[in-house]
Amino acid sequence: MAGLRFYNFSILLVLFASLLVATSCHGLSRNALFIFGGSLNDVGNNNYMETAIKANFLPYGETFFKNATGRASDGRLVPDFIAGFARLPLIPPYLSPDNNDFTNGLNFASAGAGALTETNVGMTISLKTQLSFFTFMEKNLNAKLGEAKTKTLLSRAVYMFGIGSNDYITFATRNTTELPSYTREEYVRMVIGNLTDSIQEIHSMGGRKFGFSNVGDVGCSPFLRSLNNARNNGSGCMDEVTILAELHNKALTKALKKLERKLEGFKFSIFDLYAASKERIDNPTKYGFKEGRVACCGTGPYKGNLSGCCAKTVCDNVSDYLFFDGVHPTEKANYQFARLMWSGGADIVKPYNLKTLLKKI
C-alpha cells in the first residue's frame, strides 16, 4: 500500500510558524472549533496528501463552492454549517498553506480516517496523527501566546468528533485471512478506547467542551447496499455494519457518561446521526427528498460505486437526493443534520445541543 507523504511539509511548518505570529496580534475567539474525524468532516486535508481518497474534482463542491474543495459532498459539510451558526468563518484544513489565523479553530479531519491507526493505513490521517497535529499546534500556541491565553482559547473551544464508520466498514468487509480475528464487541471496544484516549489527551491540554456525532446508518448507504448486492447477491442493507454501528453508539454514550464523571469540567453533546440518517433513508419525502437509497452520482446498483465515476453520472437535481455519492450526504442533508446538532431537542441530541454547549463556562 502506498506510503503516506505530505507535500512540502517543511514549507507548511514555516507557514504555520508565521501563522502563529499573526495569531498573537489578534484577540482570542471566544469559541473556536477544532474538528476531528473522517470524510464527513474533512474540508480538504486529503488534498495535500498522496492518496486516492480525496474529493478534489467536480461535481464535488459544485453546488456551493462552484469548484472542488476536497469536501465529499456537492457543497458544505456539517462543520461548515456549525461554524456559520456559531458566527465563525469556515474552519480551514490544518494542512492548507493558506491559513493566516486559526484563533477560530482548525480542521484536522481526513477522509478515510478511523479511530484505529490500521484503518486505511497509509492513505489517510488517522485519529492518532490528527491528535499529534493538534498537540503540535498547542505547543506552538503556548510558545507564541503564552500559557494563559492558550489555556483560555482551548478551554472555551468546542472539539467536534465524527469518526468510526470507516473502522466498521473495514471490519465488515475485511479479508479474514489478512486481519486478526476479533469479536464485534472486542473491535468496538478498541475503537471506543482509541477515541476516549484522544478525548482525555485533549482534556489534559485544557479542552472541556466536546461535540460528537455517533455512527450513522452507513450499512444502508448506497455503497454498502451495492457491495452487499455484489458479494452476497443481496438487495438490502449490509447488516453486519448496522450491527457494529448500533454496538458502537451504545458504547459511545456509555463511555462519554463515564468520562463526565471522571474528568473535571468535561461537558459533551452527542448527536444521534444514526437515527437522523435512518429516518431520512426510510422516509425521504418527509424531509424534502425524493430519493433516500440511490446516490446522486455514481455507477452500478444504487449508484453506490465509489471508484470516481461521479464526474460522468451526476443527477439532474441534487436537492432531490439524500446521498450525493455512495456514502456521503448532499449539502441539503448536511444542513439538516447540522441544524439538529446545533439546536435540536433531547430526542436527537443530548444532554445539550451545540448551541447550549457553546454557552457553557
Side-chain angles (χ1 to χ4, degrees):
M1 190 174 290
L4 181 63
R5 181 166 67 86
F6 300 110
Y7 291 125
N8 299 322
F9 194 69
S10 60
I11 295 175
L12 286 176
L13 292 179
V14 171
L15 289 168
F16 194 81
S18 299
L19 171 67
L20 286 164
V21 173
T23 298
S24 65
C25 299
H26 298 284
L28 298 179
S29 171
R30 176 166 176 77
N31 293 115
L33 290 177
F34 294 103
I35 301 154
F36 304 83
S39 55
L40 297 183
N41 284 353
D42 181 5
V43 297
N45 278 309
N46 279 24
N47 285 353
Y48 304 97
M49 298 164 51
E50 278 193 345
T51 177
I53 306 177
K54 58 178 68 178
N56 63 340
F57 56 91
L58 293 174
Y60 289 107
E62 194 167 48
T63 297
F64 181 79
F65 299 100
K66 308 307 178 187
N67 64 284
T69 64
R71 291 165 170 84
S73 182
D74 60 300
R76 288 162 289 185
L77 306 184
V78 168
D80 297 320
F81 287 114
I82 296 298
F85 299 153
R87 299 183 180 180
L88 294 170
L90 295 177
I91 307 301
Y94 172 82
L95 291 180
S96 171
D98 299 325
N99 293 328
N100 54 28
D101 184 0
F102 59 78
T103 55
N104 293 311
L106 279 174
N107 188 315
F108 301 91
S110 172
L116 301 180
T117 303
E118 297 80 6
T119 298
N120 293 321
V121 64
M123 296 191 294
T124 188
I125 309 170
S126 69
L127 181 59
K128 183 177 180 181
T129 303
Q130 291 177 36
L131 187 62
S132 72
F133 288 166
F134 177 80
T135 302
F136 175 78
M137 180 206 71
E138 186 264 349
K139 289 179 179 178
N140 281 276
L141 275 173
N142 275 327
K144 297 296 182 180
L145 299 181
E147 291 188 7
K149 285 186 178 181
T150 300
K151 183 177 180 181
T152 297
L153 188 153
L154 297 182
S155 67
R156 290 174 175 175
V158 170
Y159 302 85
M160 290 182 60
F161 284 82
I163 202 159
S165 59
N166 291 314
D167 297 299
Y168 299 121
I169 292 172
T170 298
F171 183 76
T173 61
R174 72 197 186 285
N175 182 334
T176 55
T177 63
E178 295 179 356
L179 291 175
S181 178
Y182 300 103
T183 66
R184 293 165 177 160
E185 290 77 11
E186 287 171 339
Y187 194 77
V188 169
R189 279 197 296 271
M190 290 192 301
V191 171
I192 296 295
N194 279 17
L195 177 54
T196 55
D197 285 348
S198 298
I199 295 166
Q200 290 181 92
E201 186 162 348
I202 292 172
H203 180 272
S204 73
M205 290 186 279
R208 292 296 182 265
K209 295 182 283 190
F210 295 78
F212 301 90
S213 293
N214 66 15
V215 172
D217 191 14
V218 67
C220 291
S221 65
F223 168 59
L224 288 176
R225 286 180 187 271
S226 177
L227 193 59
N228 192 42
N229 179 278
R231 288 190 172 191
N232 306 316
N233 199 28
S235 59
C237 307
M238 186 171 283
D239 292 338
E240 178 65 15
V241 177
T242 300
I243 291 168
L244 289 163
E246 291 174 343
L247 288 171
H248 171 94
N249 293 342
K250 290 178 182 177
L252 176 61
T253 299
K254 184 177 179 180
L256 293 177
K257 289 180 178 178
K258 184 177 180 180
L259 289 176
E260 187 177 36
R261 294 189 297 268
K262 176 183 177 182
L263 302 178
E264 180 183 357
F266 175 81
K267 296 178 176 65
F268 72 92
S269 169
I270 182 167
F271 168 56
D272 194 350
L273 178 59
Y274 182 89
S277 57
K278 179 175 175 55
E279 173 66 14
R280 284 159 177 76
I281 290 169
D282 293 343
N283 304 289
T285 57
K286 184 177 177 180
Y287 301 95
F289 303 103
K290 292 182 179 179
E291 181 55 69
R293 299 186 179 192
V294 176
C296 168
C297 68
T299 58
Y302 306 99
K303 291 191 177 179
N305 192 321
L306 290 174
S307 63
C309 300
C310 254
K312 298 180 180 179
T313 57
V314 66
C315 62
D316 292 330
N317 189 356
V318 65
S319 65
D320 288 342
Y321 289 77
L322 175 64
F323 289 96
F324 184 62
D325 65 13
V327 73
H328 302 108
T330 57
E331 180 183 75
K332 179 178 176 178
N334 283 327
Y335 173 80
Q336 292 185 11
F337 296 147
R339 177 56 68 181
L340 290 172
M341 187 183 297
W342 177 253
S343 58
D347 59 324
I348 199 70
V349 56
K350 60 182 68 171
Y352 314 105
N353 56 41
L354 283 185
K355 184 178 181 180
T356 301
L357 184 67
L358 248 67
K359 296 176 182 177
K360 295 290 180 180
I361 302 301

PDB file of all heavy atoms in Angstrom, residues 22-49:
ATOM      1  N   ALA A  22       0.929  35.789  13.527  1.00  0.00           N
ATOM      2  CA  ALA A  22      -0.268  36.567  13.230  1.00  0.00           C
ATOM      3  C   ALA A  22      -1.306  36.397  14.322  1.00  0.00           C
ATOM      4  O   ALA A  22      -1.990  37.335  14.720  1.00  0.00           O
ATOM      5  CB  ALA A  22      -0.851  36.125  11.879  1.00  0.00           C
ATOM      6  N   THR A  23      -1.412  35.162  14.835  1.00  0.00           N
ATOM      7  CA  THR A  23      -2.384  34.885  15.878  1.00  0.00           C
ATOM      8  C   THR A  23      -2.140  35.730  17.108  1.00  0.00           C
ATOM      9  O   THR A  23      -3.064  36.219  17.752  1.00  0.00           O
ATOM     10  CB  THR A  23      -2.319  33.390  16.256  1.00  0.00           C
ATOM     11  OG1 THR A  23      -2.650  32.619  15.113  1.00  0.00           O
ATOM     12  CG2 THR A  23      -3.306  33.067  17.358  1.00  0.00           C
ATOM     13  N   SER A  24      -0.864  35.935  17.467  1.00  0.00           N
ATOM     14  CA  SER A  24      -0.542  36.656  18.685  1.00  0.00           C
ATOM     15  C   SER A  24      -0.921  38.121  18.606  1.00  0.00           C
ATOM     16  O   SER A  24      -0.972  38.812  19.618  1.00  0.00           O
ATOM     17  CB  SER A  24       0.959  36.528  18.984  1.00  0.00           C
ATOM     18  OG  SER A  24       1.725  37.165  17.980  1.00  0.00           O
ATOM     19  N   CYS A  25      -1.215  38.594  17.395  1.00  0.00           N
ATOM     20  CA  CYS A  25      -1.552  40.004  17.221  1.00  0.00           C
ATOM     21  C   CYS A  25      -3.049  40.260  17.329  1.00  0.00           C
ATOM     22  O   CYS A  25      -3.491  41.400  17.227  1.00  0.00           O
ATOM     23  CB  CYS A  25      -1.057  40.493  15.856  1.00  0.00           C
ATOM     24  SG  CYS A  25       0.739  40.376  15.665  1.00  0.00           S
ATOM     25  N   HIS A  26      -3.832  39.213  17.472  1.00  0.00           N
ATOM     26  CA  HIS A  26      -5.278  39.367  17.469  1.00  0.00           C
ATOM     27  C   HIS A  26      -5.861  38.909  18.793  1.00  0.00           C
ATOM     28  O   HIS A  26      -5.279  38.122  19.518  1.00  0.00           O
ATOM     29  CB  HIS A  26      -5.895  38.540  16.328  1.00  0.00           C
ATOM     30  CG  HIS A  26      -5.437  38.983  14.965  1.00  0.00           C
ATOM     31  ND1 HIS A  26      -5.915  40.107  14.349  1.00  0.00           N
ATOM     32  CD2 HIS A  26      -4.524  38.449  14.113  1.00  0.00           C
ATOM     33  CE1 HIS A  26      -5.331  40.259  13.170  1.00  0.00           C
ATOM     34  NE2 HIS A  26      -4.487  39.265  13.012  1.00  0.00           N
ATOM     35  N   GLY A  27      -7.073  39.391  19.076  1.00  0.00           N
ATOM     36  CA  GLY A  27      -7.784  38.904  20.246  1.00  0.00           C
ATOM     37  C   GLY A  27      -8.220  37.468  20.043  1.00  0.00           C
ATOM     38  O   GLY A  27      -8.383  37.009  18.916  1.00  0.00           O
ATOM     39  N   LEU A  28      -8.435  36.743  21.110  1.00  0.00           N
ATOM     40  CA  LEU A  28      -8.810  35.349  21.011  1.00  0.00           C
ATOM     41  C   LEU A  28     -10.297  35.207  20.740  1.00  0.00           C
ATOM     42  O   LEU A  28     -11.112  35.909  21.315  1.00  0.00           O
ATOM     43  CB  LEU A  28      -8.459  34.624  22.316  1.00  0.00           C
ATOM     44  CG  LEU A  28      -6.978  34.594  22.686  1.00  0.00           C
ATOM     45  CD1 LEU A  28      -6.793  33.867  24.010  1.00  0.00           C
ATOM     46  CD2 LEU A  28      -6.154  33.944  21.601  1.00  0.00           C
ATOM     47  N   SER A  29     -10.634  34.303  19.837  1.00  0.00           N
ATOM     48  CA  SER A  29     -12.035  33.989  19.598  1.00  0.00           C
ATOM     49  C   SER A  29     -12.631  33.358  20.845  1.00  0.00           C
ATOM     50  O   SER A  29     -11.986  32.562  21.518  1.00  0.00           O
ATOM     51  CB  SER A  29     -12.142  33.009  18.429  1.00  0.00           C
ATOM     52  OG  SER A  29     -13.450  32.519  18.307  1.00  0.00           O
ATOM     53  N   ARG A  30     -13.850  33.697  21.145  1.00  0.00           N
ATOM     54  CA  ARG A  30     -14.471  33.142  22.347  1.00  0.00           C
ATOM     55  C   ARG A  30     -14.701  31.639  22.211  1.00  0.00           C
ATOM     56  O   ARG A  30     -14.492  30.889  23.149  1.00  0.00           O
ATOM     57  CB  ARG A  30     -15.782  33.867  22.659  1.00  0.00           C
ATOM     58  CG  ARG A  30     -16.499  33.253  23.857  1.00  0.00           C
ATOM     59  CD  ARG A  30     -17.589  34.113  24.402  1.00  0.00           C
ATOM     60  NE  ARG A  30     -18.299  33.433  25.481  1.00  0.00           N
ATOM     61  CZ  ARG A  30     -17.853  33.298  26.717  1.00  0.00           C
ATOM     62  NH1 ARG A  30     -16.671  33.783  27.032  1.00  0.00           N
ATOM     63  NH2 ARG A  30     -18.551  32.668  27.631  1.00  0.00           N
ATOM     64  N   ASN A  31     -15.150  31.216  21.053  1.00  0.00           N
ATOM     65  CA  ASN A  31     -15.479  29.804  20.869  1.00  0.00           C
ATOM     66  C   ASN A  31     -14.884  29.284  19.563  1.00  0.00           C
ATOM     67  O   ASN A  31     -15.537  29.330  18.522  1.00  0.00           O
ATOM     68  CB  ASN A  31     -16.995  29.585  20.854  1.00  0.00           C
ATOM     69  CG  ASN A  31     -17.640  29.871  22.191  1.00  0.00           C
ATOM     70  OD1 ASN A  31     -18.422  30.788  22.329  1.00  0.00           O
ATOM     71  ND2 ASN A  31     -17.318  29.080  23.191  1.00  0.00           N
ATOM     72  N   ALA A  32     -13.663  28.833  19.613  1.00  0.00           N
ATOM     73  CA  ALA A  32     -13.046  28.212  18.445  1.00  0.00           C
ATOM     74  C   ALA A  32     -13.631  26.812  18.247  1.00  0.00           C
ATOM     75  O   ALA A  32     -14.178  26.203  19.174  1.00  0.00           O
ATOM     76  CB  ALA A  32     -11.537  28.129  18.633  1.00  0.00           C
ATOM     77  N   LEU A  33     -13.511  26.297  17.020  1.00  0.00           N
ATOM     78  CA  LEU A  33     -13.923  24.932  16.704  1.00  0.00           C
ATOM     79  C   LEU A  33     -12.701  24.148  16.233  1.00  0.00           C
ATOM     80  O   LEU A  33     -12.022  24.561  15.283  1.00  0.00           O
ATOM     81  CB  LEU A  33     -14.976  24.913  15.595  1.00  0.00           C
ATOM     82  CG  LEU A  33     -16.377  25.426  15.908  1.00  0.00           C
ATOM     83  CD1 LEU A  33     -17.235  25.378  14.638  1.00  0.00           C
ATOM     84  CD2 LEU A  33     -17.030  24.603  17.009  1.00  0.00           C
ATOM     85  N   PHE A  34     -12.439  23.037  16.887  1.00  0.00           N
ATOM     86  CA  PHE A  34     -11.387  22.121  16.458  1.00  0.00           C
ATOM     87  C   PHE A  34     -12.069  20.815  16.071  1.00  0.00           C
ATOM     88  O   PHE A  34     -12.808  20.226  16.861  1.00  0.00           O
ATOM     89  CB  PHE A  34     -10.361  21.915  17.563  1.00  0.00           C
ATOM     90  CG  PHE A  34      -9.580  23.158  17.877  1.00  0.00           C
ATOM     91  CD1 PHE A  34      -9.864  23.907  19.012  1.00  0.00           C
ATOM     92  CD2 PHE A  34      -8.585  23.607  17.026  1.00  0.00           C
ATOM     93  CE1 PHE A  34      -9.159  25.064  19.302  1.00  0.00           C
ATOM     94  CE2 PHE A  34      -7.866  24.767  17.303  1.00  0.00           C
ATOM     95  CZ  PHE A  34      -8.163  25.501  18.444  1.00  0.00           C
ATOM     96  N   ILE A  35     -11.824  20.369  14.846  1.00  0.00           N
ATOM     97  CA  ILE A  35     -12.640  19.325  14.234  1.00  0.00           C
ATOM     98  C   ILE A  35     -11.773  18.122  13.876  1.00  0.00           C
ATOM     99  O   ILE A  35     -10.702  18.251  13.273  1.00  0.00           O
ATOM    100  CB  ILE A  35     -13.340  19.880  12.979  1.00  0.00           C
ATOM    101  CG1 ILE A  35     -14.223  21.089  13.362  1.00  0.00           C
ATOM    102  CG2 ILE A  35     -14.169  18.807  12.297  1.00  0.00           C
ATOM    103  CD1 ILE A  35     -14.454  22.054  12.230  1.00  0.00           C
ATOM    104  N   PHE A  36     -12.263  16.937  14.244  1.00  0.00           N
ATOM    105  CA  PHE A  36     -11.554  15.676  14.019  1.00  0.00           C
ATOM    106  C   PHE A  36     -12.508  14.684  13.353  1.00  0.00           C
ATOM    107  O   PHE A  36     -13.715  14.764  13.509  1.00  0.00           O
ATOM    108  CB  PHE A  36     -11.067  15.095  15.351  1.00  0.00           C
ATOM    109  CG  PHE A  36     -10.200  16.028  16.160  1.00  0.00           C
ATOM    110  CD1 PHE A  36     -10.763  16.997  16.979  1.00  0.00           C
ATOM    111  CD2 PHE A  36      -8.816  15.939  16.093  1.00  0.00           C
ATOM    112  CE1 PHE A  36      -9.968  17.860  17.718  1.00  0.00           C
ATOM    113  CE2 PHE A  36      -8.011  16.805  16.838  1.00  0.00           C
ATOM    114  CZ  PHE A  36      -8.587  17.761  17.644  1.00  0.00           C
ATOM    115  N   GLY A  37     -11.942  13.720  12.629  1.00  0.00           N
ATOM    116  CA  GLY A  37     -12.802  12.680  12.085  1.00  0.00           C
ATOM    117  C   GLY A  37     -12.414  12.236  10.699  1.00  0.00           C
ATOM    118  O   GLY A  37     -11.252  12.328  10.277  1.00  0.00           O
ATOM    119  N   GLY A  38     -13.430  11.752   9.961  1.00  0.00           N
ATOM    120  CA  GLY A  38     -13.245  11.216   8.630  1.00  0.00           C
ATOM    121  C   GLY A  38     -13.835  12.122   7.560  1.00  0.00           C
ATOM    122  O   GLY A  38     -13.900  13.341   7.721  1.00  0.00           O
ATOM    123  N   SER A  39     -14.337  11.524   6.490  1.00  0.00           N
ATOM    124  CA  SER A  39     -14.754  12.301   5.325  1.00  0.00           C
ATOM    125  C   SER A  39     -15.981  13.167   5.578  1.00  0.00           C
ATOM    126  O   SER A  39     -16.168  14.174   4.881  1.00  0.00           O
ATOM    127  CB  SER A  39     -15.026  11.369   4.141  1.00  0.00           C
ATOM    128  OG  SER A  39     -15.969  10.378   4.491  1.00  0.00           O
ATOM    129  N   LEU A  40     -16.817  12.819   6.535  1.00  0.00           N
ATOM    130  CA  LEU A  40     -17.969  13.668   6.831  1.00  0.00           C
ATOM    131  C   LEU A  40     -17.533  15.017   7.393  1.00  0.00           C
ATOM    132  O   LEU A  40     -18.301  15.984   7.369  1.00  0.00           O
ATOM    133  CB  LEU A  40     -18.923  12.977   7.806  1.00  0.00           C
ATOM    134  CG  LEU A  40     -19.583  11.692   7.317  1.00  0.00           C
ATOM    135  CD1 LEU A  40     -20.556  11.161   8.365  1.00  0.00           C
ATOM    136  CD2 LEU A  40     -20.301  11.902   5.986  1.00  0.00           C
ATOM    137  N   ASN A  41     -16.291  15.087   7.897  1.00  0.00           N
ATOM    138  CA  ASN A  41     -15.762  16.324   8.477  1.00  0.00           C
ATOM    139  C   ASN A  41     -14.581  16.917   7.727  1.00  0.00           C
ATOM    140  O   ASN A  41     -14.174  18.042   8.008  1.00  0.00           O
ATOM    141  CB  ASN A  41     -15.332  16.081   9.931  1.00  0.00           C
ATOM    142  CG  ASN A  41     -16.503  15.985  10.887  1.00  0.00           C
ATOM    143  OD1 ASN A  41     -17.650  16.227  10.512  1.00  0.00           O
ATOM    144  ND2 ASN A  41     -16.227  15.639  12.129  1.00  0.00           N
ATOM    145  N   ASP A  42     -13.992  16.177   6.780  1.00  0.00           N
ATOM    146  CA  ASP A  42     -12.780  16.625   6.091  1.00  0.00           C
ATOM    147  C   ASP A  42     -13.114  17.725   5.083  1.00  0.00           C
ATOM    148  O   ASP A  42     -13.858  17.496   4.126  1.00  0.00           O
ATOM    149  CB  ASP A  42     -12.122  15.445   5.387  1.00  0.00           C
ATOM    150  CG  ASP A  42     -10.832  15.806   4.656  1.00  0.00           C
ATOM    151  OD1 ASP A  42     -10.379  16.965   4.775  1.00  0.00           O
ATOM    152  OD2 ASP A  42     -10.287  14.926   3.967  1.00  0.00           O
ATOM    153  N   VAL A  43     -12.535  18.908   5.279  1.00  0.00           N
ATOM    154  CA  VAL A  43     -12.789  20.030   4.373  1.00  0.00           C
ATOM    155  C   VAL A  43     -11.633  20.267   3.410  1.00  0.00           C
ATOM    156  O   VAL A  43     -11.571  21.309   2.761  1.00  0.00           O
ATOM    157  CB  VAL A  43     -13.100  21.322   5.166  1.00  0.00           C
ATOM    158  CG1 VAL A  43     -14.371  21.161   5.970  1.00  0.00           C
ATOM    159  CG2 VAL A  43     -11.925  21.719   6.072  1.00  0.00           C
ATOM    160  N   GLY A  44     -10.718  19.315   3.309  1.00  0.00           N
ATOM    161  CA  GLY A  44      -9.662  19.437   2.315  1.00  0.00           C
ATOM    162  C   GLY A  44      -8.286  18.973   2.710  1.00  0.00           C
ATOM    163  O   GLY A  44      -7.334  19.128   1.937  1.00  0.00           O
ATOM    164  N   ASN A  45      -8.118  18.400   3.895  1.00  0.00           N
ATOM    165  CA  ASN A  45      -6.786  17.935   4.293  1.00  0.00           C
ATOM    166  C   ASN A  45      -6.210  16.915   3.325  1.00  0.00           C
ATOM    167  O   ASN A  45      -5.011  16.939   3.024  1.00  0.00           O
ATOM    168  CB  ASN A  45      -6.824  17.353   5.713  1.00  0.00           C
ATOM    169  CG  ASN A  45      -6.755  18.432   6.775  1.00  0.00           C
ATOM    170  OD1 ASN A  45      -5.883  19.298   6.739  1.00  0.00           O
ATOM    171  ND2 ASN A  45      -7.682  18.394   7.720  1.00  0.00           N
ATOM    172  N   ASN A  46      -7.046  16.013   2.815  1.00  0.00           N
ATOM    173  CA  ASN A  46      -6.532  14.977   1.923  1.00  0.00           C
ATOM    174  C   ASN A  46      -6.038  15.522   0.590  1.00  0.00           C
ATOM    175  O   ASN A  46      -5.314  14.834  -0.139  1.00  0.00           O
ATOM    176  CB  ASN A  46      -7.594  13.888   1.695  1.00  0.00           C
ATOM    177  CG  ASN A  46      -7.648  12.894   2.830  1.00  0.00           C
ATOM    178  OD1 ASN A  46      -7.260  13.206   3.952  1.00  0.00           O
ATOM    179  ND2 ASN A  46      -8.140  11.697   2.561  1.00  0.00           N
ATOM    180  N   ASN A  47      -6.406  16.773   0.267  1.00  0.00           N
ATOM    181  CA  ASN A  47      -5.877  17.394  -0.952  1.00  0.00           C
ATOM    182  C   ASN A  47      -4.360  17.528  -0.911  1.00  0.00           C
ATOM    183  O   ASN A  47      -3.715  17.604  -1.957  1.00  0.00           O
ATOM    184  CB  ASN A  47      -6.474  18.796  -1.145  1.00  0.00           C
ATOM    185  CG  ASN A  47      -7.906  18.755  -1.622  1.00  0.00           C
ATOM    186  OD1 ASN A  47      -8.448  17.705  -1.931  1.00  0.00           O
ATOM    187  ND2 ASN A  47      -8.528  19.922  -1.674  1.00  0.00           N
ATOM    188  N   TYR A  48      -3.805  17.579   0.293  1.00  0.00           N
ATOM    189  CA  TYR A  48      -2.369  17.817   0.469  1.00  0.00           C
ATOM    190  C   TYR A  48      -1.608  16.520   0.727  1.00  0.00           C
ATOM    191  O   TYR A  48      -0.478  16.555   1.215  1.00  0.00           O
ATOM    192  CB  TYR A  48      -2.144  18.825   1.603  1.00  0.00           C
ATOM    193  CG  TYR A  48      -2.894  20.111   1.349  1.00  0.00           C
ATOM    194  CD1 TYR A  48      -4.142  20.326   1.925  1.00  0.00           C
ATOM    195  CD2 TYR A  48      -2.382  21.081   0.490  1.00  0.00           C
ATOM    196  CE1 TYR A  48      -4.854  21.495   1.659  1.00  0.00           C
ATOM    197  CE2 TYR A  48      -3.087  22.245   0.222  1.00  0.00           C
ATOM    198  CZ  TYR A  48      -4.323  22.444   0.809  1.00  0.00           C
ATOM    199  OH  TYR A  48      -5.031  23.598   0.543  1.00  0.00           O
ATOM    200  N   MET A  49      -2.201  15.406   0.376  1.00  0.00           N
ATOM    201  CA  MET A  49      -1.600  14.095   0.587  1.00  0.00           C
ATOM    202  C   MET A  49      -1.586  13.311  -0.709  1.00  0.00           C
ATOM    203  O   MET A  49      -2.409  13.537  -1.592  1.00  0.00           O
ATOM    204  CB  MET A  49      -2.396  13.309   1.638  1.00  0.00           C
ATOM    205  CG  MET A  49      -2.444  13.924   3.002  1.00  0.00           C
ATOM    206  SD  MET A  49      -3.773  13.187   4.008  1.00  0.00           S
ATOM    207  CE  MET A  49      -3.425  11.437   3.811  1.00  0.00           C
TER     208      MET A  49
END
